[in-house]
Amino acid sequence: MPIVFVLIWSTGFVVAKFGLPYAPPLTFLLLRFIGVLLILLPLVLLMRAPWPGAKSGHIAIAGILLQGGYLGGVWCAIKIGMPAGLSALIVGMQPILTAFAAPLIGERVRPKQWIGLAFGICGVGLVVANKISLNGLSWQSIALCLLALISITVGTLYQKHYCPQFDLRTGTIIQFAASIVVVLPLAIAYEHLDITLDTVQWTPRFLAALSWSVLALSIGAIFLLFALIRKSAATSVTSLLYLTPPTTALMAWAMFGEQFSLVGVAGMLLAIIGVCFVVKK
């Protein structure tokens, strides 16, 4: 399950490269969230899946942080000029941030795990080192990346503490519906979204990116993430995100011919070793 999760999750940056030229970031995410509801809601009603009841509010808050805050922050930052390598490095701080906050939800980070977390962030740094550039950098893009980092960290801890157990089908619907409520007014205000969707170019490339975002990322990867949060400690789950930049770099090398140096290979191996230190009992 962790391997499949990392492989699917890592395609997110590739999807952004395919999709963002054809739609503003919040509009793209809004269409993605609506697509999830259009697919899951009929299935949930047919299967009569149980709704979470009293936990719904907690599930909605976690969803706003994990979907709206994290994805909205990263995608908007990249759209206004944040280099992808630097954004990956900033968001890559999440496992360490989670480890520092883990005692708040009753989890203890062992010394060996701290070593693994240090190895992991060093590995991520090596992987993205040749992609880090300050061109186009602004305080707005840095603020958006920091918002994404804080959102996914707090969202993971919040869900682990307040609502680790719920039906994935109905819980996912609640999370994406709550995210739509937050993202929709922002898209209207800042991206001039209207019912005609005239800011979207409906090219085959965009439709492919949107379809993969809905089916693989927002349904497949999120179901796997929730299952991992349910079964494992928050620090162990978030440490898997150290493997995202190396995996994404390999995908970009294979699909777009982007450079992948020996330093990047060393960083990938260091990240893998770091994750092993964190998740091994």
Side-chain angles (χ1 to χ4, degrees):
M1 192 190 306
I3 294 173
V4 175
F5 166 73
V6 169
L7 288 174
I8 298 176
W9 191 265
S10 299
T11 64
F13 288 97
V14 177
V15 165
K17 191 178 181 74
F18 273 106
L20 282 182
Y22 306 104
L26 295 178
T27 301
F28 188 107
L29 290 176
L30 189 64
L31 293 172
R32 173 173 167 176
F33 298 163
I34 292 172
V36 173
L37 295 188
L38 291 176
I39 292 173
L40 282 186
L41 190 55
L43 294 176
V44 163
L45 295 176
L46 285 173
M47 293 184 286
R48 298 181 179 179
W51 293 88
K55 291 182 180 178
S56 296
H58 290 308
I59 294 171
I61 292 171
I64 290 170
L65 291 167
L66 291 170
Q67 309 301 334
Y70 168 63
L71 292 174
V74 170
W75 283 45
C76 288
I78 292 175
K79 184 70 174 182
I80 65 172
M82 168 68 78
L86 187 56
S87 66
L89 186 59
I90 292 174
V91 178
M93 297 296 292
Q94 191 225 341
I96 289 181
L97 201 59
T98 302
F100 276 112
L104 297 176
I105 60 170
E107 293 184 4
R108 187 177 69 87
V109 182
R110 303 186 306 275
K112 186 174 74 170
Q113 290 181 303
W114 282 112
I115 295 172
L117 290 167
F119 280 2
I121 192 61
C122 290
V124 170
L126 291 175
V127 169
V128 304
N130 67 327
K131 300 178 184 296
I132 292 178
S133 168
L134 299 183
N135 293 330
L137 196 62
S138 65
W139 70 266
Q140 293 96 332
S141 62
I142 294 173
L144 285 166
C145 263
L146 291 175
L147 169 67
L149 170 61
I150 294 170
S151 291
I152 192 172
T153 303
V154 175
T156 301
L157 293 168
Y158 189 94
Q159 182 163 314
K160 179 67 179 177
H161 184 65
Y162 289 104
C163 48
Q165 302 286 340
F166 58 84
D167 188 282
L168 295 180
R169 298 161 295 180
T170 52
T172 301
I173 288 176
I174 291 171
Q175 292 206 338
F176 280 103
S179 298
I180 288 173
V181 172
V182 173
V183 172
L184 177 58
L186 294 175
I188 293 172
Y190 294 105
E191 296 179 353
H192 309 292
L193 174 68
D194 59 30
I195 197 168
T196 64
L197 294 175
D198 57 1
T199 57
V200 179
Q201 301 177 47
W202 299 94
T203 65
R205 197 169 186 174
F206 172 77
L207 291 172
L210 181 61
S211 299
W212 182 263
S213 294
V214 171
L215 297 171
L217 289 166
S218 289
I219 295 179
I222 293 299
F223 272 37
L224 289 171
L225 175 62
F226 290 172
L228 289 167
I229 290 174
R230 179 182 297 177
K231 293 177 61 177
S232 307
T235 302
S236 297
V237 174
T238 56
S239 71
L240 295 173
L241 300 183
Y242 278 150
L243 301 179
T244 300
T247 308
T248 302
L250 284 174
M251 291 178 178
W253 169 74
M255 297 179 67
F256 308 116
E258 292 188 8
Q259 183 180 359
F260 194 74
S261 64
L262 290 177
V263 173
V265 174
M268 181 174 64
L269 294 175
L270 191 59
I272 292 172
I273 293 170
V275 171
C276 289
F277 268 71
V278 175
V279 301
K280 289 288 186 181
K281 300 293 185 181

